[in-house]
Structure formats: structure tokens, C-alpha cells
């Protein structure tokens, strides 16, 4: 994701009239985008999710993660969150462990 794309994402979150947002995002830079959204201090619940295995594959976690993030967005307080593979954590308390192929708490 380029800086311009990330700025567009942040702007879209700002102007969205909804108070609960789910963003489906590539996992490699998901935390960086979450940080950019958090930096503007929205009074909204923003949940980012993605898939460790692309949706085009049968063994993908994409469908589960999307549903999981939708449910999480309705239950979590305002803030920026990551919801993936059964983990819900604030954006600054999670990282992608590329070697293990999972997101983990810090």
C-alpha cells in the first residue's frame, strides 16, 4: 500500500457516517494502516482484518475472518482493532509473525 492509498483509507474512515467500520486489508501492512487510522483519534470502532491464505484458495481463512471482524465491530468499544484468526487485539498490541504465519499479541 502506498502512502497515498493509506491517506485515502484514513480519509474514508474520517468521512464515513458509520460509527463501526470493518476494513479488509492485506496482512503485510495491516498494522501500519491501523496506526495511521488510530493517529487521527476517531470516535469510531474500526476493525481491520485480512487473510493469511488468500480467498481464492479453498483453505482460506478469509471468510471466517470477515465474519469474525463484523461481529467484533459490533461488540468492541471505540478504537482501532485487529480481528483475525480468533484474535482480537488493539492495533498497537499485535504483530504479524511471518515465520509462524499468524498474528500474535505483543
Amino acid at each position: 500500500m502506498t502512502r497515498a492509498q493509506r491517506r485515502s483509507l484514513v480519509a474514508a474512515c474520517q468521512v464515513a457516517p458509520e460509527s463501526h467500520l470493518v476494513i479488509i486489508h492485506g496482512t503485510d501492512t495491516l498494522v501500519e494502516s491501523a496506526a495511521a487510522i488510530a493517529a487521527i483519534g476517531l470516535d469510531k470502532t474500526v476493525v481491520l482484518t485480512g487473510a493469511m491464505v488468500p480467498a481464492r484458495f479453498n483453505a482460506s481463512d478469509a471468510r471466517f475472518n470477515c465474519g469474525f471482524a463484523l461481529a467484533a465491530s459490533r461488540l468492541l468499544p471505540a478504537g482501532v482493532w485487529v480481528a483475525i484468526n480468533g484474535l482480537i487485539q488493539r492495533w498497537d498490541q499485535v504483530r504479524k509473525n511471518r515465520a509462524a504465519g499468524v498474528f500474535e499479541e505483543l
Side-chain angles (χ1 to χ4, degrees):
M1 178 171 281
T2 67
R3 285 186 195 158
Q5 290 168 325
R6 191 163 284 119
R7 281 193 303 270
S8 292
L9 176 62
V10 170
C13 291
Q14 267 185 308
V15 301
E18 295 81 10
S19 61
H20 297 80
L21 306 172
V22 173
I23 298 169
I24 299 171
H25 196 290
T27 59
D28 284 344
T29 60
L30 185 146
V31 174
E32 289 85 348
S33 292
I37 296 164
I40 63 171
L42 294 176
D43 187 28
K44 296 181 182 188
T45 302
V46 181
V47 179
L48 289 90
T49 193
M52 300 304 286
V53 177
R56 68 179 172 266
F57 294 105
N58 288 336
S60 177
D61 53 337
R63 288 186 183 126
F64 172 83
N65 290 337
C66 185
F68 183 63
L70 287 169
S73 74
R74 300 303 299 164
L75 300 171
L76 293 168
V80 181
W81 303 85
V82 173
I84 191 164
N85 299 118
L87 171 73
I88 300 172
Q89 196 59 265
R90 282 175 31 107
W91 72 272
D92 58 349
Q93 297 298 309
V94 68
R95 69 175 174 185
K96 182 177 179 179
N97 180 330
R98 287 174 174 78
V102 298
F103 275 79
E104 60 190 14
E105 294 180 51
L106 295 177

